[in-house]
Amino acid sequence: MTSSPFEIWNRQLDRFPANGKRAMYLAITVGATVVLYYQLYVQGAVATKVLADLDMSLTYFILGQVVGGLIGVLGSLAAGLADRWGRANLVVYGLIVVSLLVGIAAPNVHSSLAYMVVFGLIAGVEGVVLVATPALIRDFSPQLSRASAMGFWTLGPVLGSLLVTVVSSNTLDTHHDWQFQFQVAGVVGAGISLVAFVGLRELAPQLRDQRMVSLRDRALLEARARDIDQDQSTRGHWRQMMTSRILVPAGAISCYLLFYYVAVGFLVLFLVTTFGYSDARANSLATWYWIVNALSLIVFGVLSDVLGVRKPFMIVGGLISAFGIGWFAVATGDSSTTYRLFAVIIVVIALGTGMTFATWMAAFTETVEARNPAATVTGLAVWGACVRVVVALSFTALIFAIPAAGVLADFGPHVTHTSAALKAGATVPEAELRFLALHGEDVRRAAHNAPKQWQQLWWVCLAAQLVFLPSVWLLAGRWRPSSARADAQRHRASVEEELFTLVVRK
């Protein structure tokens, strides 16, 4: 039965919605994803302030991200198990919980441990919701427009990150406390939570558990729905996802996104500690990445749907982003690299990443559908878990790969302030002089070593990009537009034939 406008639990639709409502549900889902990523990433913009205010070492902070990533793994897997509660419900009530944690709980913590507990809770809920949202996008978008739809969904992390940098770069100079950034994110989350609570709906299982190639399939899928046994269609769905055609691409794209993960969490820290940028200037540079990435996702998602192919875009995009990351690594080793040059390099990386990821999401969901369309959320849960495992492992490695960053984050500001006071001839307390004597040489050595250590990390990110490329051959889809058009024509004829058979039988 179709849910009423004021139903707060049963949100299922027993028929495909008209295009206007379908667009509305897709827009709410994308909006929810944007805000969730904004709330998850907001700490990256004020990481240096959080460390200083809560007297937290960088190592402790990174370990907190690792633990949060592992909790997110559990959340992603739980989304596959909890899907019977409804994908829309997971999104709606997950949004509410995350908004309360970000807007109220996080700004009121007074210790590093309390902060990490709150972050762990946020990461766990996020792991659930950010599996449910692409599942909703898939449900409402046929395969022939899947890349466009997934391009819009992937705007979630991109626009979420952009929202972080825009808000922070325009408010940090007037609102110096990090808590303000969390409070703004909480208010924004409360707004989208209300919209989703009132307006978000999902397809009934009998409809979404089928493969929709084009919108013309709707009548046939509705006719079939009455004969579908959901328990039968989802039986063994976890086992069905444990195949190389699912696991290898999920792991490979997680490795491909290594640069993205580091950029989200530590690009500001890198620019502040290694090139001496202010927090606001570092965030404004990151804005270039998110704007170009957002445009790339949409443009290449649409082109992929027009041509009917995904794989060529993944290969070309992967090579472009790999080139950009290599260039970024070289620039990191040159202390004279300008803001403008960094911006150009970041634009290249963002362009390639957007081209790759929008088409990968479309191809991956189509690969899962080819295995079992009723197991879509299970396949996405596998992907979500892979992403968070790679994040946890990479952040753990970060502690050992860039020890200089920890020294600069923990002691650099204090040493710099004291050294400046001495040069200006100001009277410096004895405790400050002892601190300078104890850590001054360590900071000087770390400042010398940091560019090389970061450079090595960027080379690892480049290698991870190249590792991704062979996995493209495992995904569903054609290489040539002519082959894709022939497949679509055969499918259209098959649908018309089956519909005619159903009418005759009646």
Side-chain angles (χ1 to χ4, degrees):
M1 179 179 295
T2 301
S3 60
S4 73
F6 303 102
E7 179 63 69
I8 65 171
W9 188 255
N10 177 25
R11 300 173 178 273
Q12 293 182 355
L13 305 171
D14 56 9
R15 297 182 66 85
F16 284 99
N19 286 339
K21 285 192 173 182
R22 187 175 70 91
M24 181 184 73
Y25 300 142
L26 288 170
I28 293 174
T29 304
V30 171
T33 309
V34 170
V35 171
L36 279 163
Y37 273 109
Y38 170 41
Q39 294 173 323
L40 182 66
Y41 293 163
V42 69
Q43 66 169 353
V46 288
T48 54
K49 294 181 180 295
V50 172
L51 296 179
D53 188 52
L54 298 179
D55 194 24
M56 190 188 313
S57 71
L58 180 62
T59 298
Y60 188 91
F61 181 79
I62 294 175
L63 286 174
Q65 312 309 300
V66 172
V67 173
L70 294 175
I71 294 173
V73 171
L74 299 178
S76 295
L77 295 175
L81 297 172
D83 189 43
R84 289 181 180 273
W85 296 348
R87 297 169 191 184
N89 283 327
L90 294 180
V91 173
V92 170
Y93 296 105
L95 269 170
I96 293 171
V97 172
V98 171
S99 298
L100 292 173
L101 290 170
V102 170
I104 298 176
N108 287 289
V109 301
H110 300 289
S111 70
S112 56
L113 177 60
Y115 179 89
M116 289 307 172
V117 169
V118 172
F119 177 78
L121 293 172
I122 293 171
V125 180
E126 175 266 348
V128 173
V129 179
L130 294 178
V131 167
T133 50
L136 282 171
I137 294 292
R138 171 265 168 190
D139 295 345
F140 286 118
S141 59
Q143 289 185 354
L144 293 182
S145 61
R146 182 70 53 78
S148 304
M150 285 300 175
F152 279 104
W153 176 82
T154 313
L155 287 177
V158 175
L159 292 185
S161 300
L162 177 61
L163 198 53
V164 169
T165 59
V166 168
V167 173
S168 60
S169 61
N170 285 284
T171 60
L172 278 172
D173 289 337
T174 54
H175 295 83
H176 301 289
D177 58 305
W178 60 267
Q179 290 90 343
F180 177 79
Q181 303 299 323
F182 281 77
Q183 289 162 350
V184 172
V187 171
V188 173
I192 193 65
S193 296
L194 179 61
V195 172
F197 183 85
V198 173
L200 189 58
R201 297 292 182 270
E202 64 180 310
L203 294 178
Q206 291 78 6
L207 291 176
R208 73 187 186 211
D209 288 354
Q210 302 181 69
R211 187 171 68 104
M212 181 167 61
V213 175
S214 76
L215 290 176
R216 297 175 180 175
D217 298 354
R218 290 182 293 187
L220 177 60
L221 301 187
E222 288 173 357
R224 288 176 178 168
R226 66 175 68 94
D227 298 322
I228 291 179
D229 183 341
Q230 187 188 10
D231 291 333
Q232 178 64 33
S233 61
T234 58
R235 186 167 299 152
H237 55 123
W238 284 100
R239 184 180 65 256
Q240 293 167 3
M241 295 299 105
M242 298 299 112
T243 172
S244 60
R245 294 181 68 88
I246 303 295
L247 294 174
V248 172
I253 195 67
S254 301
C255 293
Y256 173 85
L257 294 172
L258 180 58
F259 179 86
Y260 168 81
Y261 308 144
V262 177
V264 165
F266 303 103
L267 182 61
V268 171
L269 179 71
F270 160 71
L271 294 169
V272 169
T273 60
T274 307
F275 284 87
Y277 288 19
S278 68
D279 285 350
R281 184 169 174 79
N283 276 288
S284 69
L285 180 60
T287 301
W288 285 98
Y289 183 94
W290 309 125
I291 290 176
V292 174
N293 199 275
L295 294 173
S296 177
L297 288 165
I298 300 304
V299 169
F300 291 109
V302 171
L303 284 176
S304 174
D305 285 337
V306 170
L307 296 176
V309 294
R310 320 295 189 203
K311 294 178 179 179
F313 290 95
M314 286 184 265
I315 295 296
V316 174
L319 291 173
I320 291 173
S321 59
F323 168 78
I325 291 172
W327 191 6
F328 193 84
V330 172
T332 297
D334 184 356
S335 60
S336 65
T337 300
T338 64
Y339 177 99
R340 181 172 296 180
L341 180 57
F342 267 133
V344 171
I345 298 171
I346 282 175
V347 164
V348 172
I349 299 171
L351 180 72
T353 303
M355 185 187 303
T356 300
F357 194 56
T359 50
W360 184 90
M361 284 297 298
F364 182 74
T365 55
E366 290 161 3
T367 303
V368 171
E369 285 178 331
R371 185 73 173 163
N372 181 359
T376 296
V377 80
T378 308
L380 289 168
V382 170
W383 161 72
C386 286
V387 166
R388 287 155 184 83
V389 166
V390 171
V391 169
L393 292 175
S394 61
F395 282 10
T396 302
L398 197 63
I399 297 173
F400 304 99
I402 316 177
V407 174
L408 293 173
D410 297 343
F411 308 121
H414 202 161
V415 167
T416 301
H417 175 76
T418 304
S419 299
L422 284 173
K423 289 180 181 178
T427 301
V428 178
E430 185 66 27
E432 299 293 317
L433 292 174
R434 287 197 299 271
F435 187 92
L436 181 61
L438 183 63
H439 299 293
E441 180 59 24
D442 292 337
V443 170
R444 186 199 65 78
R445 190 181 304 111
H448 174 75
N449 294 334
K452 184 177 181 180
Q453 292 175 3
W454 280 104
Q455 190 178 47
Q456 291 172 343
L457 176 62
W458 305 138
W459 289 126
V460 172
C461 293
L462 170 60
Q465 296 249 315
L466 298 177
V467 165
F468 158 77
L469 295 175
S471 70
V472 171
W473 273 263
L474 293 173
L475 294 167
R478 296 289 194 176
W479 288 92
R480 297 169 58 188
S482 58
S483 300
R485 286 193 297 270
D487 288 344
Q489 290 170 355
R490 283 192 293 270
H491 173 78
R492 187 179 303 118
S494 174
V495 168
E496 291 173 354
E497 181 180 351
E498 187 172 351
L499 276 173
F500 178 77
T501 302
L502 289 174
V503 171
V504 170
R505 284 178 181 175
K506 288 183 177 180

